Amino acid sequence: MSSPFAKISALLPDLAPWRASADFRLLWVQGLVTYFSSAMAMIALPLQIKELTGSPLAVGAMGAVELVPLVVFGLYGGALADAVDRRKVILATEAGLGLLALVLLLNALLPVPMLWPLYVVAAGVSALAGLQRPALDSLLARIVPHEHQTAAAALNSLRWQMGSIAGPALAGLVVAYAGHAPAYGVTIAGFAVSVLLCRRLSPAPPAHDAEKPSLRGIAEGARYAWSRPVLLGTYAIDLAAMFFAFPNTIFPFLADELDADWSLGLMYAAGSVGSLVLGLTSGWTSKVRRHGLLVVGGAAGWGLAIAAAGWFGNVWPVLLCLAFAGAGDMLSGLGRATIWNQTIPEELRGRLAGIEVLSYSVGPQLGQVRAGVMAGWTGTRSAVWTGGVACVASVGLLCLALPKLLSYDSDTDEDSLRRKAQQETAGERAARESADERPAPESAGTV
């Protein structure tokens, strides 16, 4: 009979990726710094638009402004990640994001801050994020062994939750008591630290026969994704869940309606609290092989929790529902990331990562627009609960349309087995090249 300590240990996060890869450790710390500092701007920016306009539509329009740059640069960033050193892409985009945060700071210091720079910066951040995320995601698939992908996804989600809990909670206090400028200042400092950490990453050059970024290369990646029902299912479910049930942009108005202005930062942080709890008990997910079930179950749980949050008129049950929603979102995200990194060939990884950027980013952007429009027409709480119901319904319909997602098993799926063999072959080749570069040992008779 196993001891209680053994049972508890089985729930704790699997640290195998942390122990196995120095680059993974660097990216983990860099991401924590970036997520923490970016959360400050994430809260300050929509709140500043709300204060300047008083309109939920104006806040929701931020998602529309971000959409086109995200689509264009996300797809191009995927092709770029397959054609150039991924480390250089990450470095350049981190520096650019820091400069955009500086623009927000300078605008906030004006006697009367202007509205249009906020939308321009939002579009610029979306473009740079679209360029960067494929390089980051495809680098993870290279530096972490095949069997540790779920554990790596859990550790990365845990890192993100830690930053996004502390960031919004602190940002709400900073903006309330010190103004927007200090929040943007913290964001700038975070990106400066991030650039220094990224400089220490190992080079990640493309394959010798890699083609230059082109529309033909992007189309090749799209054709591959379209031919794989499991991949299509992960993209479609995430898009539907975020489009229908991403109410973050109207949280300032929800806090007003619940007579709890003080709770705004907690609303933004509540989902991350739920994700953090799941991340701290995610050891069991390393043993899961039916990752499609994680995708579907997590997305349905997210929708149910968001629907419940819209029904309650007291802030505390709302915060609890948002925490449950965050746990569901993380569970679905673990399944998606594992399927992506375990099945997609290395030579297409960047371009498919660009499609993934659209999958998990376009949905929230469109969701912001949907939530803002619905809140203006039907009221804030109605916009929240109807979106949650629509999310659950869409997940069910997609499961019927794409049954292979539910039956996915990493131990038997052909793409998963092929990707595992490819990674093992690449590892053996790297070890052989490293051995060939070492000087031969001197013989005993050599002086």
Side-chain angles (χ1 to χ4, degrees):
M1 182 180 295
S2 59
S3 66
F5 179 77
K7 293 180 180 179
I8 294 174
S9 298
L11 292 175
L12 296 178
D14 184 353
L15 300 180
W18 179 278
R19 292 191 293 265
S21 173
D23 281 335
F24 178 80
R25 293 193 294 271
L26 273 174
L27 283 178
W28 197 93
V29 175
Q30 173 267 336
L32 180 62
V33 172
T34 299
Y35 290 147
F36 176 85
S37 56
S38 298
M40 301 289 288
M42 181 190 73
I43 299 297
L45 184 57
L47 192 57
Q48 191 173 18
I49 293 177
K50 172 182 177 288
E51 292 177 358
L52 290 174
T53 66
S55 168
L57 290 176
V59 179
M62 191 171 66
V65 168
E66 293 169 337
L67 180 59
V68 172
L70 185 64
V71 171
V72 174
F73 287 92
L75 290 173
Y76 180 77
L80 192 68
D82 282 334
V84 303
D85 190 321
R86 293 165 185 172
R87 172 180 173 270
K88 293 181 179 179
V89 176
I90 296 169
L91 266 172
T93 50
E94 284 293 283
L97 289 167
L99 291 176
L100 290 178
L102 179 61
V103 173
L104 291 176
L105 174 60
L106 295 176
N107 183 63
L109 292 174
L110 294 175
V112 180
M114 296 180 288
L115 179 62
W116 66 265
L118 304 182
Y119 290 112
V120 171
V121 168
V125 168
S126 184
L128 289 175
L131 285 175
Q132 183 188 83
R133 287 307 297 265
L136 275 172
D137 292 347
S138 57
L139 183 60
L140 182 67
R142 175 183 290 188
I143 64 178
V144 175
H146 183 274
E147 64 273 14
H148 296 156
Q149 289 297 334
T150 304
L155 290 175
N156 278 345
S157 294
L158 187 60
R159 169 198 65 184
W160 186 84
Q161 306 308 335
M162 291 168 63
S164 57
I165 290 171
L170 181 59
L173 295 175
V174 170
V175 173
Y177 293 102
H180 301 90
Y184 296 141
V186 172
T187 302
I188 295 170
F191 280 116
V193 173
S194 176
V195 168
L196 294 176
L197 290 171
C198 288
R199 287 175 59 87
R200 298 177 58 190
L201 289 170
S202 301
H208 295 299
D209 56 350
E211 299 180 4
K212 293 182 178 180
S214 65
L215 291 176
R216 185 171 66 85
I218 294 173
E220 181 184 359
R223 284 194 298 270
Y224 178 86
W226 185 259
S227 69
R228 298 300 192 271
V230 173
L231 291 180
L232 280 180
T234 64
Y235 302 148
I237 283 182
D238 191 41
L239 277 169
M242 293 298 103
F243 173 72
F244 288 115
F246 190 78
N248 293 32
T249 192
I250 57 174
F251 280 169
F253 302 93
L254 182 61
D256 287 346
E257 190 166 322
L258 297 175
D259 295 322
D261 293 344
W262 53 268
S263 69
L264 178 59
L266 295 178
M267 285 186 181
Y268 282 108
S272 297
V273 171
S275 297
L276 178 62
V277 172
L278 184 65
L280 291 172
T281 57
S282 63
W284 62 274
T285 61
S286 295
K287 301 177 179 62
V288 173
R289 297 295 176 264
R290 300 283 299 279
H291 301 106
L293 292 176
L294 297 184
V295 175
V296 172
W302 159 271
L304 286 172
I306 293 297
W311 275 104
F312 288 108
N314 182 279
V315 69
W316 293 110
V318 170
L319 292 174
L320 183 62
C321 289
L322 294 176
F324 277 110
D329 184 44
M330 180 175 176
L331 191 64
S332 183
L334 291 181
R336 293 194 307 271
T338 303
I339 291 173
W340 295 340
N341 289 335
Q342 284 187 344
T343 63
I344 298 172
E346 171 63 21
E347 63 272 15
L348 293 173
R349 190 67 194 89
R351 278 163 284 181
L352 270 294
I355 295 175
E356 290 153 21
V357 168
L358 305 187
S359 167
Y360 58 67
S361 298
V362 170
Q365 305 309 324
L366 293 175
Q368 290 186 81
V369 178
R370 185 212 68 85
V373 171
M374 286 294 294
W377 287 349
T378 66
T380 303
R381 289 173 57 193
S382 176
V384 174
W385 75 260
T386 55
V389 171
C391 168
V392 176
S394 64
V395 168
L397 291 174
L398 287 169
C399 286
L400 294 176
L402 298 166
K404 286 191 176 182
L405 178 61
L406 284 175
S407 62
Y408 173 84
D409 188 321
S410 62
D411 286 341
T412 58
D413 181 79
E414 292 183 0
D415 289 330
S416 176
L417 295 175
R418 188 180 301 114
R419 172 67 183 125
K420 182 178 182 179
Q422 183 187 46
Q423 189 179 52
E424 289 173 348
T425 301
E428 293 169 359
R429 182 170 60 250
R432 183 172 61 253
E433 292 173 352
S434 176
D436 291 342
E437 292 173 359
R438 289 196 295 267
E442 296 179 353
S443 64
T446 303
V447 177

